[in-house]
CSV table of all heavy atoms in Angstrom, one decimal:
chain,number,residue,atom,x,y,z
A,19,LEU,N,2.3,30.0,-0.8
A,19,LEU,CA,3.2,30.1,0.4
A,19,LEU,C,2.7,31.3,1.3
A,19,LEU,O,3.4,31.7,2.2
A,19,LEU,CB,4.6,30.3,0.0
A,19,LEU,CG,5.3,29.1,-0.7
A,19,LEU,CD1,6.7,29.4,-1.1
A,19,LEU,CD2,5.2,27.9,0.1
A,20,ILE,N,1.6,31.9,1.0
A,20,ILE,CA,1.1,33.1,1.7
A,20,ILE,C,1.0,32.8,3.2
A,20,ILE,O,1.4,33.7,4.0
A,20,ILE,CB,-0.2,33.6,1.2
A,20,ILE,CG1,-0.6,34.9,1.9
A,20,ILE,CG2,-1.3,32.6,1.4
A,20,ILE,CD1,0.2,36.1,1.5
A,21,VAL,N,0.6,31.7,3.7
A,21,VAL,CA,0.4,31.5,5.1
A,21,VAL,C,1.8,31.4,5.8
A,21,VAL,O,2.0,32.1,6.9
A,21,VAL,CB,-0.4,30.2,5.4
A,21,VAL,CG1,-0.5,29.9,6.9
A,21,VAL,CG2,-1.8,30.4,4.9
A,22,ALA,N,2.7,30.7,5.2
A,22,ALA,CA,4.1,30.7,5.8
A,22,ALA,C,4.7,32.0,5.8
A,22,ALA,O,5.4,32.4,6.7
A,22,ALA,CB,4.9,29.7,5.0
A,23,TRP,N,4.5,32.8,4.7
A,23,TRP,CA,5.0,34.1,4.6
A,23,TRP,C,4.4,35.0,5.7
A,23,TRP,O,5.1,35.8,6.3
A,23,TRP,CB,4.7,34.6,3.2
A,23,TRP,CG,5.3,35.9,2.8
A,23,TRP,CD1,6.7,36.2,2.7
A,23,TRP,CD2,4.6,37.1,2.4
A,23,TRP,NE1,6.8,37.5,2.3
A,23,TRP,CE2,5.6,38.1,2.1
A,23,TRP,CE3,3.3,37.5,2.3
A,23,TRP,CZ2,5.3,39.4,1.7
A,23,TRP,CZ3,3.0,38.7,1.9
A,23,TRP,CH2,4.0,39.7,1.6
A,24,LEU,N,3.1,35.0,5.9
A,24,LEU,CA,2.4,35.8,6.9
A,24,LEU,C,3.0,35.4,8.3
A,24,LEU,O,3.2,36.2,9.2
A,24,LEU,CB,0.9,35.6,6.9
A,24,LEU,CG,0.2,36.3,5.8
A,24,LEU,CD1,-1.3,35.9,5.8
A,24,LEU,CD2,0.3,37.8,6.0
A,25,ASN,N,3.2,34.0,8.5
A,25,ASN,CA,3.7,33.6,9.8
A,25,ASN,C,5.1,34.2,10.0
A,25,ASN,O,5.4,34.6,11.2
A,25,ASN,CB,3.8,32.1,9.8
A,25,ASN,CG,2.5,31.4,9.8
A,25,ASN,OD1,1.5,32.0,10.1
A,25,ASN,ND2,2.5,30.1,9.5
A,26,GLN,N,5.9,34.3,9.0
A,26,GLN,CA,7.3,34.8,9.1
A,26,GLN,C,7.2,36.3,9.5
A,26,GLN,O,7.9,36.8,10.3
A,26,GLN,CB,8.0,34.6,7.9
A,26,GLN,CG,9.5,34.9,7.9
A,26,GLN,CD,10.2,34.6,6.7
A,26,GLN,OE1,9.6,34.5,5.6
A,26,GLN,NE2,11.5,34.4,6.8
A,27,ILE,N,6.3,37.0,8.8
A,27,ILE,CA,6.2,38.5,9.0
A,27,ILE,C,5.7,38.7,10.4
A,27,ILE,O,6.2,39.5,11.2
A,27,ILE,CB,5.2,39.1,8.0
A,27,ILE,CG1,5.8,39.1,6.6
A,27,ILE,CG2,4.9,40.5,8.4
A,27,ILE,CD1,4.8,39.5,5.5
A,28,CYS,N,4.7,37.9,10.8
A,28,CYS,CA,4.1,38.1,12.2
A,28,CYS,C,5.1,37.8,13.2
A,28,CYS,O,5.2,38.5,14.2
A,28,CYS,CB,2.9,37.2,12.3
A,28,CYS,SG,1.9,37.5,13.8
A,29,PHE,N,5.9,36.7,13.0
A,29,PHE,CA,7.0,36.4,14.0
A,29,PHE,C,7.9,37.6,14.2
A,29,PHE,O,8.3,38.0,15.3
A,29,PHE,CB,7.7,35.1,13.6
A,29,PHE,CG,8.9,34.9,14.5
A,29,PHE,CD1,8.7,34.4,15.8
A,29,PHE,CD2,10.2,35.2,14.1
A,29,PHE,CE1,9.8,34.2,16.6
A,29,PHE,CE2,11.3,35.0,14.9
A,29,PHE,CZ,11.1,34.5,16.2
A,30,ARG,N,8.4,38.1,13.0
A,30,ARG,CA,9.4,39.2,13.1
A,30,ARG,C,8.8,40.4,13.8
A,30,ARG,O,9.5,41.1,14.6
A,30,ARG,CB,9.9,39.5,11.7
A,30,ARG,CG,10.8,38.5,11.2
A,30,ARG,CD,11.4,38.8,9.8
A,30,ARG,NE,12.3,37.8,9.4
A,30,ARG,CZ,12.6,37.7,8.1
A,30,ARG,NH1,12.1,38.4,7.2
A,30,ARG,NH2,13.4,36.7,7.8
A,31,VAL,N,7.6,40.7,13.4
A,31,VAL,CA,6.9,41.9,14.1
A,31,VAL,C,6.8,41.7,15.6
A,31,VAL,O,7.1,42.6,16.4
A,31,VAL,CB,5.5,42.1,13.4
A,31,VAL,CG1,4.7,43.1,14.2
A,31,VAL,CG2,5.7,42.7,12.0
A,32,CYS,N,6.3,40.5,16.0
A,32,CYS,CA,6.2,40.2,17.4
A,32,CYS,C,7.5,40.2,18.1
A,32,CYS,O,7.6,40.8,19.2
A,32,CYS,CB,5.5,38.8,17.6
A,32,CYS,SG,3.8,38.8,17.2
A,33,TYR,N,8.5,39.7,17.5
A,33,TYR,CA,9.9,39.7,18.1
A,33,TYR,C,10.3,41.1,18.3
A,33,TYR,O,10.8,41.5,19.4
A,33,TYR,CB,10.8,38.9,17.2
A,33,TYR,CG,12.3,39.0,17.7
A,33,TYR,CD1,12.6,38.1,18.7
A,33,TYR,CD2,13.2,39.8,17.1
A,33,TYR,CE1,14.0,38.1,19.2
A,33,TYR,CE2,14.5,39.8,17.6
A,33,TYR,CZ,14.9,39.0,18.6
A,33,TYR,OH,16.2,39.0,19.1
A,34,ASN,N,10.2,42.0,17.3
A,34,ASN,CA,10.6,43.4,17.5
A,34,ASN,C,9.8,44.1,18.5
A,34,ASN,O,10.3,44.9,19.3
A,34,ASN,CB,10.5,44.1,16.1
A,34,ASN,CG,11.5,43.6,15.2
A,34,ASN,OD1,12.6,43.1,15.5
A,34,ASN,ND2,11.2,43.8,13.9
A,35,LEU,N,8.5,43.9,18.6
A,35,LEU,CA,7.6,44.5,19.6
A,35,LEU,C,8.0,44.0,21.0
A,35,LEU,O,8.0,44.8,21.9
A,35,LEU,CB,6.1,44.2,19.3
A,35,LEU,CG,5.5,45.0,18.2
A,35,LEU,CD1,4.0,44.5,18.0
A,35,LEU,CD2,5.4,46.5,18.6
A,36,HIS,N,8.3,42.7,21.1
A,36,HIS,CA,8.7,42.2,22.4
A,36,HIS,C,10.0,42.8,22.9
A,36,HIS,O,10.1,43.2,24.1
A,36,HIS,CB,8.8,40.7,22.3
A,36,HIS,CG,9.1,40.0,23.6
A,36,HIS,ND1,8.2,40.0,24.7
A,36,HIS,CD2,10.2,39.4,24.0
A,36,HIS,CE1,8.8,39.3,25.7
A,36,HIS,NE2,10.0,39.0,25.3
A,37,ARG,N,10.9,42.9,22.0
A,37,ARG,CA,12.2,43.5,22.4
A,37,ARG,C,12.0,45.0,22.8
A,37,ARG,O,12.6,45.4,23.8
A,37,ARG,CB,13.2,43.5,21.2
A,37,ARG,CG,13.8,42.1,21.1
A,37,ARG,CD,15.0,42.0,20.1
A,37,ARG,NE,15.6,43.3,19.9
A,37,ARG,CZ,16.2,43.6,18.7
A,37,ARG,NH1,16.2,42.8,17.7
A,37,ARG,NH2,16.8,44.8,18.6
A,38,LYS,N,11.2,45.7,22.0
A,38,LYS,CA,10.9,47.1,22.4
A,38,LYS,C,10.3,47.2,23.8
A,38,LYS,O,10.6,48.0,24.6
A,38,LYS,CB,10.0,47.8,21.3
A,38,LYS,CG,10.7,48.1,20.1
A,38,LYS,CD,9.7,48.8,19.1
A,38,LYS,CE,10.3,48.9,17.7
A,38,LYS,NZ,9.3,49.5,16.8
A,39,GLN,N,9.3,46.3,24.0
A,39,GLN,CA,8.6,46.3,25.3
A,39,GLN,C,9.6,45.9,26.4
A,39,GLN,O,9.5,46.6,27.5
A,39,GLN,CB,7.5,45.2,25.2
A,39,GLN,CG,6.6,45.2,26.4
A,39,GLN,CD,5.8,46.5,26.6
A,39,GLN,OE1,5.4,47.1,25.6
A,39,GLN,NE2,5.7,47.0,27.8
A,40,GLN,N,10.5,45.0,26.2
A,40,GLN,CA,11.4,44.7,27.3
A,40,GLN,C,12.3,45.9,27.6
A,40,GLN,O,12.6,46.2,28.8
A,40,GLN,CB,12.3,43.5,26.8
A,40,GLN,CG,11.6,42.2,27.0
A,40,GLN,CD,12.6,41.0,26.6
A,40,GLN,OE1,13.3,41.1,25.6
A,40,GLN,NE2,12.5,40.0,27.3
A,41,ARG,N,12.8,46.6,26.6
A,41,ARG,CA,13.7,47.7,26.8
A,41,ARG,C,12.9,48.8,27.5
A,41,ARG,O,13.4,49.5,28.4
A,41,ARG,CB,14.2,48.3,25.5
A,41,ARG,CG,15.4,47.6,25.0
A,41,ARG,CD,15.9,48.3,23.8
A,41,ARG,NE,14.9,48.3,22.8
A,41,ARG,CZ,15.0,48.1,21.5
A,41,ARG,NH1,16.2,48.0,21.0
A,41,ARG,NH2,14.0,48.0,20.7
A,42,TYR,N,11.6,49.0,27.1
A,42,TYR,CA,10.8,50.0,27.7
A,42,TYR,C,10.6,49.7,29.2
A,42,TYR,O,10.7,50.5,30.0
A,42,TYR,CB,9.4,50.0,27.0
A,42,TYR,CG,8.4,50.9,27.6
A,42,TYR,CD1,8.4,52.3,27.4
A,42,TYR,CD2,7.4,50.4,28.5
A,42,TYR,CE1,7.4,53.1,28.0
A,42,TYR,CE2,6.5,51.2,29.1
A,42,TYR,CZ,6.5,52.5,28.8
A,42,TYR,OH,5.6,53.3,29.4
A,43,ASP,N,10.3,48.4,29.5
A,43,ASP,CA,10.0,48.0,30.9
A,43,ASP,C,11.3,48.2,31.7
A,43,ASP,O,11.2,48.7,32.9
A,43,ASP,CB,9.6,46.5,30.9
A,43,ASP,CG,8.2,46.3,30.4
A,43,ASP,OD1,7.4,47.3,30.3
A,43,ASP,OD2,7.8,45.2,30.1
A,44,GLN,N,12.4,47.9,31.2
A,44,GLN,CA,13.7,48.1,31.9
A,44,GLN,C,14.0,49.6,32.2
A,44,GLN,O,14.3,50.0,33.3
A,44,GLN,CB,14.9,47.5,31.1
A,44,GLN,CG,14.9,46.0,31.1
A,44,GLN,CD,16.0,45.4,30.2
A,44,GLN,OE1,16.5,46.2,29.4
A,44,GLN,NE2,16.2,44.1,30.3
A,45,GLU,N,13.7,50.4,31.2
A,45,GLU,CA,13.9,51.9,31.3
A,45,GLU,C,12.9,52.4,32.4
A,45,GLU,O,13.3,53.2,33.2
A,45,GLU,CB,13.7,52.6,30.0
A,45,GLU,CG,14.8,52.4,29.0
A,45,GLU,CD,14.5,53.0,27.7
A,45,GLU,OE1,13.5,53.7,27.6
A,45,GLU,OE2,15.3,52.8,26.7
A,46,MET,N,11.7,52.0,32.3
A,46,MET,CA,10.7,52.6,33.1
A,46,MET,C,10.8,52.1,34.6
A,46,MET,O,10.4,52.8,35.5
A,46,MET,CB,9.3,52.2,32.6
A,46,MET,CG,9.0,52.9,31.3
A,46,MET,SD,9.2,54.7,31.4
A,46,MET,CE,10.6,55.0,30.4
A,47,THR,N,11.3,50.9,34.8
A,47,THR,CA,11.5,50.4,36.2
A,47,THR,C,12.3,51.4,37.0
A,47,THR,O,12.0,51.8,38.1
A,47,THR,CB,12.1,49.0,36.2
A,47,THR,OG1,11.3,48.2,35.5
A,47,THR,CG2,12.3,48.5,37.6
A,48,GLY,N,13.5,51.8,36.4
A,48,GLY,CA,14.3,52.8,37.1
A,48,GLY,C,13.7,54.2,37.2
A,48,GLY,O,13.8,54.9,38.2
A,49,TYR,N,13.1,54.6,36.1
A,49,TYR,CA,12.5,55.9,36.0
A,49,TYR,C,11.3,56.1,36.9
A,49,TYR,O,11.2,57.1,37.5
A,49,TYR,CB,12.1,56.2,34.5
A,49,TYR,CG,11.8,57.7,34.3
A,49,TYR,CD1,12.7,58.6,34.2
A,49,TYR,CD2,10.4,58.1,34.3
A,49,TYR,CE1,12.4,60.0,34.0
A,49,TYR,CE2,10.1,59.4,34.2
A,49,TYR,CZ,11.1,60.3,34.0
A,49,TYR,OH,10.8,61.6,33.9
A,50,ASP,N,10.5,55.1,37.0
A,50,ASP,CA,9.3,55.2,37.9
A,50,ASP,C,9.7,55.5,39.3
A,50,ASP,O,9.0,56.3,39.9
A,50,ASP,CB,8.4,53.9,37.8
A,50,ASP,CG,7.6,53.8,36.6
A,50,ASP,OD1,7.4,54.8,35.9
A,50,ASP,OD2,7.1,52.7,36.3
A,51,SER,N,10.7,54.8,39.8
A,51,SER,CA,11.1,55.0,41.2
A,51,SER,C,11.6,56.5,41.4
A,51,SER,O,11.3,57.1,42.4
A,51,SER,CB,12.1,54.0,41.6
A,51,SER,OG,13.2,54.1,40.8
A,52,VAL,N,12.3,57.0,40.4
A,52,VAL,CA,12.8,58.4,40.5
A,52,VAL,C,11.7,59.4,40.5
A,52,VAL,O,11.6,60.2,41.4
A,52,VAL,CB,13.8,58.7,39.4
A,52,VAL,CG1,14.2,60.1,39.4
A,52,VAL,CG2,15.1,57.8,39.6
A,53,VAL,N,10.8,59.2,39.5
A,53,VAL,CA,9.6,60.2,39.4
A,53,VAL,C,8.7,60.1,40.6
A,53,VAL,O,8.4,61.1,41.2
A,53,VAL,CB,8.8,59.9,38.1
A,53,VAL,CG1,7.6,60.7,38.1
A,53,VAL,CG2,9.7,60.3,36.9
A,54,GLU,N,8.4,58.9,41.0
A,54,GLU,CA,7.5,58.7,42.2
A,54,GLU,C,8.2,59.3,43.4
A,54,GLU,O,7.5,59.8,44.3
A,54,GLU,CB,7.1,57.2,42.4
A,54,GLU,CG,6.1,56.8,41.3
A,54,GLU,CD,5.8,55.3,41.4
A,54,GLU,OE1,6.2,54.6,42.3
A,54,GLU,OE2,5.1,54.9,40.5
A,55,GLY,N,9.5,59.1,43.5
A,55,GLY,CA,10.2,59.6,44.7
A,55,GLY,C,10.2,61.1,44.7
A,55,GLY,O,10.0,61.8,45.7
A,56,GLN,N,10.3,61.8,43.5
A,56,GLN,CA,10.2,63.2,43.4
A,56,GLN,C,8.8,63.7,43.7
A,56,GLN,O,8.7,64.8,44.4
A,56,GLN,CB,10.6,63.7,42.0
A,56,GLN,CG,12.1,63.6,41.8
A,56,GLN,CD,12.4,64.1,40.4
A,56,GLN,OE1,11.6,64.2,39.5
A,56,GLN,NE2,13.7,64.3,40.1
A,57,LEU,N,7.8,63.0,43.3
A,57,LEU,CA,6.4,63.5,43.5
A,57,LEU,C,5.9,63.1,44.8
A,57,LEU,O,4.9,63.8,45.3
A,57,LEU,CB,5.5,62.9,42.4
A,57,LEU,CG,5.9,63.3,41.0
A,57,LEU,CD1,5.0,62.5,40.0
A,57,LEU,CD2,5.8,64.8,40.7
A,58,ARG,N,6.4,62.1,45.5
A,58,ARG,CA,5.7,61.6,46.7
A,58,ARG,C,6.6,61.6,48.0
A,58,ARG,O,6.3,61.0,49.0
A,58,ARG,CB,5.2,60.2,46.5
A,58,ARG,CG,4.1,60.3,45.4
A,58,ARG,CD,3.5,58.9,45.3
A,58,ARG,NE,2.5,59.0,44.2
A,58,ARG,CZ,2.3,58.2,43.3
A,58,ARG,NH1,3.0,57.1,43.2
A,58,ARG,NH2,1.4,58.3,42.4
A,59,ALA,N,7.9,62.1,47.9
A,59,ALA,CA,8.8,62.0,49.0
A,59,ALA,C,8.3,62.9,50.2
A,59,ALA,O,8.0,64.1,50.0
A,59,ALA,CB,10.2,62.5,48.6
A,60,PRO,N,8.2,62.4,51.4
A,60,PRO,CA,7.8,63.2,52.5
A,60,PRO,C,8.9,64.2,53.0
A,60,PRO,O,10.1,63.9,52.9
A,60,PRO,CB,7.5,62.1,53.6
A,60,PRO,CG,8.4,61.0,53.3
A,60,PRO,CD,8.5,61.0,51.8
A,61,ALA,N,8.5,65.3,53.5
A,61,ALA,CA,9.4,66.3,53.9
A,61,ALA,C,9.8,66.1,55.4
A,61,ALA,O,9.0,65.6,56.2
A,61,ALA,CB,8.8,67.7,53.8
A,62,SER,N,11.1,66.4,55.7
A,62,SER,CA,11.5,66.1,57.1
A,62,SER,C,11.4,67.3,58.0
A,62,SER,O,11.4,67.2,59.2
A,62,SER,CB,13.0,65.6,57.0
A,62,SER,OG,13.8,66.5,56.4
A,63,ASN,N,11.4,68.5,57.4
A,63,ASN,CA,11.2,69.7,58.3
A,63,ASN,C,10.4,70.8,57.5
A,63,ASN,O,10.3,70.6,56.3
A,63,ASN,CB,12.6,70.2,58.8
A,63,ASN,CG,13.5,70.7,57.7
A,63,ASN,OD1,13.0,71.4,56.8
A,63,ASN,ND2,14.7,70.3,57.7
A,64,PRO,N,10.0,71.9,58.1
A,64,PRO,CA,9.2,72.9,57.5
A,64,PRO,C,9.8,73.5,56.2
A,64,PRO,O,9.2,73.7,55.2
A,64,PRO,CB,8.9,73.9,58.5
A,64,PRO,CG,9.0,73.2,59.8
A,64,PRO,CD,10.1,72.1,59.6
A,65,GLU,N,11.1,73.8,56.3
A,65,GLU,CA,11.8,74.4,55.2
A,65,GLU,C,11.8,73.4,54.0
A,65,GLU,O,11.6,73.8,52.9
A,65,GLU,CB,13.3,74.7,55.6
A,65,GLU,CG,14.0,75.5,54.6
A,65,GLU,CD,15.4,75.9,55.0
A,65,GLU,OE1,15.5,76.9,55.8
A,65,GLU,OE2,16.3,75.2,54.6
A,66,ASP,N,12.1,72.1,54.3
A,66,ASP,CA,12.1,71.1,53.2
A,66,ASP,C,10.7,71.0,52.7
A,66,ASP,O,10.5,70.7,51.5
A,66,ASP,CB,12.6,69.8,53.7
A,66,ASP,CG,14.1,69.7,54.0
A,66,ASP,OD1,14.8,70.6,53.5
A,66,ASP,OD2,14.5,68.9,54.8
């Protein structure tokens, strides 16, 4: 039953990696805009 067992392990590993990747992508979507805004926002006057 090794092949079926490997298939099951591989599926669980892929499922977990996919879930982690989805969470990461969701977190980074919001974070990227904040970081990029802080690093690239144009100034409106000399003091700013």
Side-chain angles (χ1 to χ4, degrees):
L19 298 176
I20 185 69
V21 175
W23 188 62
L24 283 173
N25 291 344
Q26 187 177 26
I27 294 171
C28 189
F29 172 77
R30 287 184 179 159
V31 167
C32 289
Y33 177 77
N34 290 335
L35 282 173
H36 182 68
R37 281 189 23 209
K38 285 179 189 176
Q39 187 64 38
Q40 282 182 321
R41 277 187 300 219
Y42 173 83
D43 289 344
Q44 288 171 350
E45 288 174 7
M46 292 305 109
T47 299
Y49 188 81
D50 281 347
S51 60
V52 170
V53 169
E54 288 175 5
Q56 286 179 345
L57 297 176
R58 297 186 179 137
S62 57
N63 64 46
E65 189 175 281
D66 289 341

